[in-house]
Amino acid sequence: MAMIDKKGGSRKRTERRGNLITGYAGKWEPLFEKKAAARATAARVLSGVSEGVKRAKNTGGTVRVTYVIRSSDEEPEIEIEEITPQKDALDIALAAAKQRGSERVAEILKRPEMLSADEFADEIGSTRETVNKKRKRHEVLGLEGAKRGVRFPKWQIGDDGQLLGGLAQLFEALNGHPWAVYRFLLQKSGSLGGRTGLEMLRAGRIEDAVGAARSIGKGDFS
C-alpha cells in the first residue's frame, strides 16, 4: 500500500512492502518549470522553421534556417536567410551557350532580309492578319526572337511573288520547329547532293526535300 501526501508544492510518498518502509519527499515546481521552458524553446524553434518554409514557398528559392540553443532559460537564436545555390561548371557552360544562342538569334533577325509582318504583307499583296494566319498554318516561315518579335525571311517569296511551296510538309517533318525549318532550308545537306532545302523547293523537288527533312526529324543525320 502506498500513501501520498501533497502540501505546499511538496510531494511525499511512503510505500510499504512487507516489513520494509521506504519514502522520499521533494518539490515538483522546478521540474515543471524546466519542462515548460523546454516546451517554449521547442515552440520557438518550430516557429522559425515554419517561417523559413513560408519564405521559401513565397520566393521559390532556397532558405536556410539556423538556430542556436544554449540553455532552456535563454531564448533560442533563430536566423533565416535566403541562399543562392552554387553553380557547377556544367551550369555555367549551359548558361553561356544559351547566351550565345540568344545573341545568334538576335543577329539573324536584324538582317535586312528579315521582314516584319507588315512588310511581308506588302511584299505578297496581303494583310498583316493574313500573314499571321499563314504563319500559324505553317504556310510561311516566321522566326521569333526575344526583342524583335516575329520576322519573316524575304527569300521565301519567289520572283513571281508566290510563296515557297512545301513549307507545311517541312514543318510536319521537323516537328513544327520554325528554327529547325530555317536551318534545313539554308544548310547544305549530303542527302540532298550538297544542296540546301531552299534550292530543292525552288526547283520543285518538294518530295526529295521533305524526305531528307523526315530523316533529320527522326535523328538520322547520316
Side-chain angles (χ1 to χ4, degrees):
M1 175 183 296
M3 295 175 290
I4 300 176
D5 178 41
K6 295 182 180 179
K7 184 177 181 181
S10 297
R11 182 185 181 100
K12 183 176 181 181
R13 179 186 180 97
T14 59
E15 186 174 352
R16 181 186 300 274
R17 294 181 180 178
N19 294 327
L20 178 64
I21 299 176
T22 60
Y24 66 88
K27 291 184 176 295
W28 50 268
E29 288 95 335
L31 179 61
F32 176 81
E33 291 173 357
K34 288 182 179 181
K35 287 184 177 180
R39 285 196 294 270
T41 298
R44 179 73 179 89
V45 170
L46 290 176
S47 176
V49 172
S50 177
E51 178 63 27
V53 171
K54 185 185 300 183
R55 185 177 301 183
K57 183 178 180 180
N58 291 337
T59 62
T62 302
V63 173
R64 178 189 290 120
V65 180
T66 305
Y67 51 89
V68 178
I69 303 174
R70 292 188 173 84
S71 71
S72 61
D73 298 329
E74 298 183 28
E75 281 284 322
E77 298 178 7
I78 309 292
E79 182 180 0
I80 302 174
E81 57 181 334
E82 296 181 23
I83 60 174
T84 303
Q86 293 184 349
K87 295 183 178 180
D88 58 20
L90 178 58
D91 291 329
I92 295 173
L94 290 175
K98 185 176 181 180
Q99 178 62 30
R100 290 194 299 270
S102 299
E103 293 173 354
R104 176 62 173 162
V105 167
E107 178 186 333
I108 291 173
L109 294 183
K110 69 181 182 182
R111 292 175 179 174
E113 70 269 19
M114 293 295 174
L115 307 179
S116 67
D118 289 328
E119 293 169 334
F120 194 84
D122 290 340
E123 290 288 335
I124 63 174
S126 184
T127 64
R128 176 190 181 93
E129 290 73 19
T130 299
V131 169
N132 286 325
K133 288 180 181 179
K134 288 181 177 294
R135 180 175 72 91
K136 292 178 181 178
R137 294 196 298 260
H138 294 159
E139 295 174 7
V140 298
L141 173 62
L143 302 169
E144 189 170 2
K147 297 181 179 180
R148 302 184 66 87
V150 180
R151 289 293 184 268
F152 299 83
K154 185 177 180 178
W155 41 251
Q156 62 186 309
I157 305 172
D159 295 335
D160 56 358
Q162 298 298 311
L163 292 173
L164 193 66
L167 280 179
Q169 295 95 312
L170 280 184
F171 268 98
E172 182 181 359
L174 295 170
N175 303 312
H177 297 303
W179 284 101
V181 173
Y182 171 83
R183 183 172 61 179
F184 176 81
L185 288 173
L186 297 187
Q187 186 173 332
K188 293 182 179 181
S189 172
S191 59
L192 295 176
R195 296 183 179 183
T196 66
L198 181 59
E199 290 172 335
M200 297 295 285
L201 293 185
R202 284 177 174 172
R205 298 178 60 180
I206 294 176
E207 291 185 4
D208 292 335
V210 172
R214 285 201 180 100
S215 296
I216 293 175
K218 294 177 181 179
D220 181 10
F221 298 98
S222 59

